[in-house]
Amino acid sequence: MQSHDKQMPIMEHLIELRNRLTWAVLALFITFGVCYYFVEDIYGFLVQPLAEIMGPDRRMIYTALTEVFFTYVKVSFFAACFVSAPVFLGQFWAFVAPGLYKNERSAFMPFIFATPILFLMGGALVYYLIMPLAWKFFLSFEQAGGASNLAIQLEAKVGEYLSLVMKLIFAFGLCFQLPVLLTLMARAGIVTADGLARRRKYAIVIAFGFAAVLTPPDLISQIGLGIPIIILYEISIIMARISERKRAKAAADDDADEDDEADSDDDDGEVATGTAVAATQDDVDAQGEAAASYDDGQTSLTRSSDDEGDAPKLSGPSNNDDGEDDFNNAR
């Protein structure tokens, strides 16, 4: 990964993005080929909830010549997208991570791992719980034939069944990404936990409306998707509160560090000022001592001249006027 202090030109960024996308698309095509090889097993796995309810003596039909082929292609592509999702997320993270700081990478890393896990949980919920209940509800409309009426029996089409199953799995997997989305928005400061809590009643209405659009027109599917969305919304509020606390704690730690640095700078300034004042005082004292020493030397010299009667005096007027009179007479 590139370091933060090493800036890359825009062309190098585009080349790196092209390489990342190339690896992701290559992984998708490879997994598509593998999934198409096992497409009958994958389709059988998707049909199993309906087959267990209908029984082994029932069948599925197709009315177009190319319907089964394109259905197999859709199944292979759907499975390949799910299998190659970790590769795509890994390439995306490898492209984005160098532009993030260390704390940002540690903050976003859990969401990269949580995204496929939550999607898998949503798909498992719809496969093991919602689909069996929904298929039982739809098959309850079958009627046996009698003397006065005809039998009503399900003849499920291959393409329609696959489209319904993919729609349910995608809807539940997408809705299970709600905690990731709201937590990231809370970290960015776009939403707050208190704001999400105040809008809870609107979220409930939107959740059931969203479930009504994405699921078949039955109460089982709608309730089965609406209730998990509400639960995930409450989990998102909790995660947003935790994120806000961590952000507030980090901000408080940064402020404390700045205050400590400011106090340290002030203390250093006071120490330097005190040292300068002490040095100046020492210079003054040294000059005073030197001046006092000089005065003492002069005083001692003057005293020694006064004590010697015949030696010439260095300071003060002379008391012997004979020399001056002789000089005047000679002149």
Side-chain angles (χ1 to χ4, degrees):
M1 292 188 296
Q2 301 292 333
S3 59
H4 291 284
D5 54 353
K6 184 180 180 181
Q7 296 182 357
M8 296 174 59
I10 185 64
M11 289 303 299
E12 293 187 11
H13 282 290
L14 294 177
I15 293 173
E16 184 181 2
L17 178 61
R18 183 197 63 186
N19 295 333
R20 301 297 181 186
L21 291 176
T22 301
W23 283 109
V25 173
L26 182 62
L28 178 63
F29 276 103
I30 293 175
T31 53
F32 174 79
V34 175
C35 292
Y36 189 81
Y37 183 78
F38 298 99
V39 65
E40 294 184 0
D41 298 329
I42 298 174
Y43 190 80
F45 175 77
L46 296 177
V47 176
Q48 185 177 358
L50 181 62
E52 291 179 353
I53 300 173
M54 294 177 62
D57 56 341
R58 303 291 292 273
R59 64 174 185 173
M60 299 186 69
I61 64 171
Y62 66 98
T63 57
L65 293 176
T66 59
E67 182 177 353
V68 176
F69 171 74
F70 284 112
T71 300
Y72 282 174
V73 171
K74 291 179 182 179
V75 170
S76 301
F77 184 77
F78 181 74
C81 290
F82 184 77
V83 174
S84 63
V87 178
F88 176 79
L89 292 175
Q91 294 297 322
F92 173 77
W93 177 250
F95 178 75
V96 174
L100 302 176
Y101 293 102
K102 184 177 180 180
N103 57 345
E104 294 175 343
R105 289 198 296 268
S106 61
F108 280 97
M109 181 65 74
F111 299 103
I112 298 296
F113 288 100
T115 300
I117 294 175
L118 290 175
F119 191 91
L120 179 61
M121 292 174 60
L125 176 65
V126 70
Y127 182 82
Y128 291 104
L129 180 62
I130 303 300
M131 287 171 56
L133 296 176
W135 299 166
K136 288 181 181 180
F137 173 77
F138 291 130
L139 288 174
S140 64
F141 292 98
E142 288 187 331
Q143 295 180 5
S148 60
N149 57 357
L150 296 176
I152 299 177
Q153 191 175 12
L154 174 66
E155 292 289 344
K157 291 183 62 176
V158 174
E160 291 181 354
Y161 177 79
L162 174 67
S163 299
L164 181 59
V165 170
M166 291 177 58
K167 183 179 180 181
L168 286 174
I169 294 177
F170 181 77
F172 276 76
L174 182 63
C175 292
F176 269 64
Q177 305 302 318
L178 186 63
V180 175
L181 177 62
L182 292 181
T183 305
L184 288 176
M185 293 176 66
R187 284 183 176 271
I190 301 175
V191 298
T192 60
D194 294 335
L196 294 175
R198 288 195 302 267
R199 295 174 176 84
R200 183 180 287 109
K201 56 184 179 181
Y202 302 106
I204 294 174
V205 176
I206 295 174
F208 280 100
F210 191 73
V213 173
L214 293 180
T215 58
D218 64 292
L219 293 177
I220 297 176
S221 301
Q222 294 177 10
I223 295 175
L225 181 58
I227 293 177
I229 291 177
I230 297 172
I231 296 175
L232 293 172
Y233 187 82
E234 296 296 331
I235 295 174
S236 301
I237 294 176
I238 297 174
M239 296 296 296
R241 291 188 188 279
I242 296 174
S243 178
E244 289 176 357
R245 291 174 184 174
K246 289 183 179 180
R247 187 173 58 183
K249 183 179 179 181
D253 293 340
D254 293 339
D255 294 338
D257 293 338
E258 292 178 358
D259 294 338
D260 293 339
E261 292 178 359
D263 294 339
S264 177
D265 294 338
D266 294 339
D267 294 339
D268 294 340
E270 291 178 359
V271 171
T273 304
T275 304
V277 171
T280 304
Q281 186 65 33
D282 292 339
D283 294 338
V284 172
D285 294 340
Q287 292 176 2
E289 291 177 358
S293 300
Y294 178 78
D295 292 339
D296 292 340
Q298 292 296 327
T299 303
S300 62
L301 182 61
T302 303
R303 288 177 180 176
S304 62
S305 299
D306 291 339
D307 293 339
E308 296 177 359
D310 297 335
K313 296 180 179 179
L314 297 179
S315 63
S318 177
N319 293 327
N320 189 6
D321 295 336
D322 295 337
E324 185 178 356
D325 294 340
D326 295 339
F327 177 77
N328 293 329
N329 291 331
R331 190 178 58 180

